[in-house]
Amino acid sequence: MEYIDNMPSMDLMRSEKMTFVQLIIPAESAHRAVTYLGQLGLLQFRDLNAEKSPFQRTFVNQVKRCVEMSRKLRYFKDQMHKAGLLLPPLPASQPDIELEEIEIQLAEHEHELIEMNANSEKLRQSYNELLEFKMVLQKASGFLVSSSSHTTDREVELDENVYSNDNHADTASLLEQEMRSELSNQSGVRFISGIICTSKVLQFERILFRATRGNMLFNQAVADEEILDPSSNEMVEKIVFVVFFSGEQARTKILKICEAFGANCYPVPEDTTKRRQITQEVLSRLSELETTLDAGLLHRDKALTSIGYHLTKWINMVKTQKAVYDTLNMLNFDVTKKCLVGEGWCPIFAKTKIQEALQRATFDSSSQVGIIFHVMDAVESPPTYFRTNGFTNAFQEIVDAYGVAKYQEANPAVYTIVTFPFLFAVMFGDWGHGICLLLGALVLIARESKLSSQKLGSFMEMLFGGRYVLLLMSIFSIYCGLIYNEFFSVPFHIFGDSAYKCQDATCSNAQTVGLIKYKDPYPFGVDPSWRGSRSELPFLNSLKMKMSILLGVAQMNLGIIISYFNAHFFSSSLDIKYQFVPQVIFLNSLFGYLSILIVVKWCTGSQADLYHVMIYMFLSPFEALGENRLFWGQSVLQVVLLLLALIAVPWMLFPKPFILKRLHMERFQGRTYGILGTSEMMSIDDEPDSARERAEEFNFSEVFVHQMIHSIEFVLGAVSNTASYLRLWALSLAHSELSTVFYEKVLLLAWGYDNIIIRLVGLAVFAFATAFILLMMETLSAFLHALRLHWVEFQNKFYHGDGYKFNPFSFALLADDDD
Amino acid sequence: MGFVVTSLIFAVVGVIASFGAGICCNRGPSTNLLHLTLIITATVCCWTMWAIVYLAQLNPLIVPVLSEGE
């Protein structure tokens, strides 16, 4: 054991040692100190003002200013996005600007932009109105031509009117008579002209008809162009209408109905020359407005571009300043109101760097008083911090997704780096598909620098983040593919000749009795003769099921051994004696024995039925084995192992709670005399730092139930987890079968024809099916199942995972919440 | 080539890889230990896989029975 303790420690295995620190900062250097600490990114502040609302905190005004500024910045970004301008990339170096200067500039720019937008709104509205007026003039002149310059020739008039108003034939004749008789009478027949959306015109007409009791004439024509509807920002079709009516009451009614339907009314003069004049005016005003609008747009785009040049930098500055003020809000003013007191966690190796940063802050803010930085004791458990690089980060995130490691417990990520891609490959094994995955991973890694600076979609981001996982997965897949001897489901004779040949030269009974094995087994992997034979599946199924059990028992044993090292690290001999030992005995006397039986059966070629052996080991252990006997002394060994397993269950269930209770009694027996000499006794317990919390309460029933749950979980889990590893067999079978089907039923079938088109189509279908189903779906599926095997079957042997992650105050880690 | 010989080959490859990693990517004792752990784990996994498949074919209980058309 001393050898193990003397080995250099592996940083990734257990969390960095963390310490709880207290900072006392004089007020004038506070802002600068927090900024430098943010740049360093190695201190996690604890919120000392957690019970206060955001408005009760000290720096609430500054935070409000920052929030306001970021709102303005978002508005600018929005406007630029709407105008279709792109943000230029951040220039390399720029001089630092003060926050107040930014605030003033932002206010100016916002004011300018809002004004410009309002103006262009108004201009656009007038433009729309003029456009509508123009259309009304154009179309209405068609209706009014008939009613103006005709004094004689009433039959012609009548015909014309009837022609244009065929749906109001009855009313037309009456109205026409009235019109003819009072043609020049101003208070007689009058008209209202306007424009309305096409969708509302039928209802409009109907209601007008009812309101005027049929005493009206409705003409309509579709406008030539579509008009931009300001509320919905779409182009809508509009219809020009002219309503002829008589009487003042009718006029008010019609006007109200127009208003209700959102129809815009424009006065059209009856006189043709006047109409022509007005049309000319409208057209000239329209072209003026167009140029004005274009000029306005250009001006706004220029303003936006000049803002955009600085925008990214401003956004970053405002974000960092807001973060600094939020952190300052977490600190407390001390009694004299001249200093800020802060508390937090930092890794021990970072202490010197932090002290350096604080000294620099004192110097830069020309403060007379230095910043005090000292270590304190903490009641709660420290956060967990693993220093990962780009390669190990992905695997650590996979482990953390299930639960962050408790402070200083063993980190499963160390083994996951290899076992996760390995188990993936066991389920994916095909070296052709592995090569495709490898190419994908290499592409991602080669374009690493370019892709990491871009903003990627969520799927691409996940894929890019896991590029090293993908690389390892593909390398192991190539290895397992070589072992399973599958290249897009085709076996090759890479490692020599097959070990099987026909019984005689004519191969007459190859399809009934089969080949015979005439030399040593195929040196590397599955013999290529198996592929396509009728007994392929029975052989491969047996092989892969047994392989799954062996791999599963190995990984579970690794998990239990890691729990031993955890118990050794936390100096908990109770855990070693009453948890590790019975667990190892139970698992190995049953499933370790099964693994040994499998290997023995393979080595001796016996025909024993292992199902039978295992089941009857429990049902009738004293019965003779007969033909299922694999080695001498097997019956005795089985009885012994069964007894060991039976003893192991109460061994892991009962002693620990009773001993814990006894220890608790001993420790707090002389409570009236104070807690004497507790250091030795506390080291026996599980968690030395939280033992002080549990000072008063020792709920025996709770501890006992907890232990019972843990033991039952282990005992039942031993069976279910071992069976769960059979998914390695299941997925590998599914992959192999899918691959075979695509190869034989698509590619070979298409290749059988002589036609090149059918061959190309077959090749294309094969490529698509391989890419989407095998490379994407199967990869995800095997990834998921390998992940589950790690999270549940491997980690529940030793992992607590109830810690919390070290989350330092760092500018580099500020969340990008704009997007 | 025999079970023992190939297992020895796996062991030798593992040892060479460990030394190679120690020589070319020497980044402090903790990282070296991590690399060593990874290489040993990978070697053990690969050897296990090979050994299982090899042992299963040592004394097989069934033989390939060709299907029609071969």
Side-chain angles (χ1 to χ4, degrees), chain A residues 479 515 523 525 527 532 534-535 603, chain B residues 30 46 50 57 59 63-65 67:
Chain A
Y479 179 80
L515 309 172
D527 199 299
R534 271 191 281 152
S535 50
C603 289
Chain B
S30 147
C46 292
W50 169 82
Q57 293 181 105
N59 302 303
V63 287
V65 175
S67 55

Side-chain angles (χ1 to χ4, degrees), chain A residues 533-581:
Chain A
S533 67
R534 271 191 281 152
S535 50
E536 174 192 7
L537 276 183
F539 172 70
L540 281 182
N541 284 349
S542 160
L543 165 69
K544 287 183 181 175
M545 284 169 110
K546 292 176 176 158
M547 167 194 79
S548 313
I549 301 282
L550 290 173
L551 290 177
V553 172
Q555 196 177 33
M556 288 196 286
N557 269 317
L558 177 65
I560 301 184
I561 291 176
I562 295 181
S563 86
Y564 165 75
F565 283 107
N566 266 344
H568 180 73
F569 181 83
F570 291 115
S571 309
S572 158
S573 74
L574 199 67
D575 265 349
I576 298 179
K577 283 190 277 195
Y578 301 106
Q579 205 157 301
F580 166 69
V581 175

Side-chain angles (χ1 to χ4, degrees), chain A residues 368-380:
Chain A
Q368 305 299 331
V369 189
I371 301 180
I372 302 178
F373 172 77
H374 69 112
V375 170
M376 267 184 20
D377 281 334
V379 173
E380 65 199 14

Side-chain angles (χ1 to χ4, degrees), chain A residues 212-442:
Chain A
T212 54
R213 284 178 225 182
N215 290 334
M216 70 109 189
L217 183 61
F218 189 85
N219 283 345
Q220 58 180 338
V222 180
D224 285 331
E225 305 164 4
E226 291 182 352
I227 297 195
L228 187 69
D229 181 14
S231 49
S232 67
N233 237 18
E234 290 172 352
M235 303 297 271
V236 291
E237 206 181 62
K238 296 226 173 181
I239 289 195
V240 176
F241 64 88
V242 175
V243 182
F244 292 97
F245 61 93
S246 73
E248 193 56 37
Q249 274 184 343
R251 185 168 182 278
T252 42
K253 275 191 222 168
I254 292 177
L255 280 176
K256 276 206 202 128
I257 295 174
C258 284
E259 213 180 295
F261 271 83
N264 299 327
C265 299
Y266 299 100
V268 173
E270 288 186 37
D271 191 19
T272 323
T273 40
K274 254 211 241 167
R275 263 209 306 272
R276 265 205 287 267
Q277 251 182 338
I278 291 198
T279 319
Q280 291 293 355
E281 262 181 49
V282 167
L283 284 174
S284 67
R285 271 177 69 194
L286 263 179
S287 60
E288 262 177 41
L289 264 183
E290 266 178 35
T291 43
T292 318
L293 269 175
D294 285 338
L297 266 178
L298 211 65
H299 184 61
R300 189 193 66 170
D301 283 350
K302 247 184 20 196
L304 280 177
T305 326
S306 74
I307 294 178
Y309 188 65
H310 298 290
L311 195 63
T312 325
K313 180 168 178 278
W314 284 342
I315 291 181
N316 282 343
M317 268 226 67
V318 172
K319 245 194 313 196
T320 52
Q321 288 301 315
K322 177 165 186 296
V324 167
Y325 282 116
D326 279 334
T327 312
L328 281 172
N329 272 338
M330 290 195 216
L331 310 175
N332 256 341
F333 269 109
D334 78 331
V335 187
T336 62
K337 290 280 178 210
K338 290 214 205 100
C339 290
L340 283 168
V341 176
E343 293 177 352
W345 292 99
C346 79
I348 290 189
F349 71 81
K351 265 180 23 189
T352 38
K353 286 195 219 168
I354 294 182
Q355 271 168 336
E356 230 174 52
L358 292 175
Q359 273 173 2
R360 242 187 334 134
T362 316
F363 182 69
D364 284 344
S365 55
S366 353
S367 156
Q368 305 299 331
V369 189
I371 301 180
I372 302 178
F373 172 77
H374 69 112
V375 170
M376 267 184 20
D377 281 334
V379 173
E380 65 199 14
S381 180
T384 309
Y385 180 45
F386 291 112
R387 271 199 284 187
T388 54
N389 58 18
F391 177 73
T392 52
N393 194 33
F395 295 98
Q396 189 62 51
E397 276 187 17
I398 287 179
V399 170
D400 284 345
Y402 184 71
V404 178
K406 200 175 69 167
Y407 180 60
Q408 298 237 298
E409 74 166 341
N411 181 16
V414 170
Y415 295 100
T416 305
I417 296 178
V418 169
T419 57
F420 175 75
F422 175 66
L423 288 186
F424 171 87
V426 170
M427 294 190 266
F428 194 76
D430 184 316
W431 57 284
H433 300 149
I435 290 180
C436 298
L437 279 186
L438 181 67
L439 289 174
L442 286 177

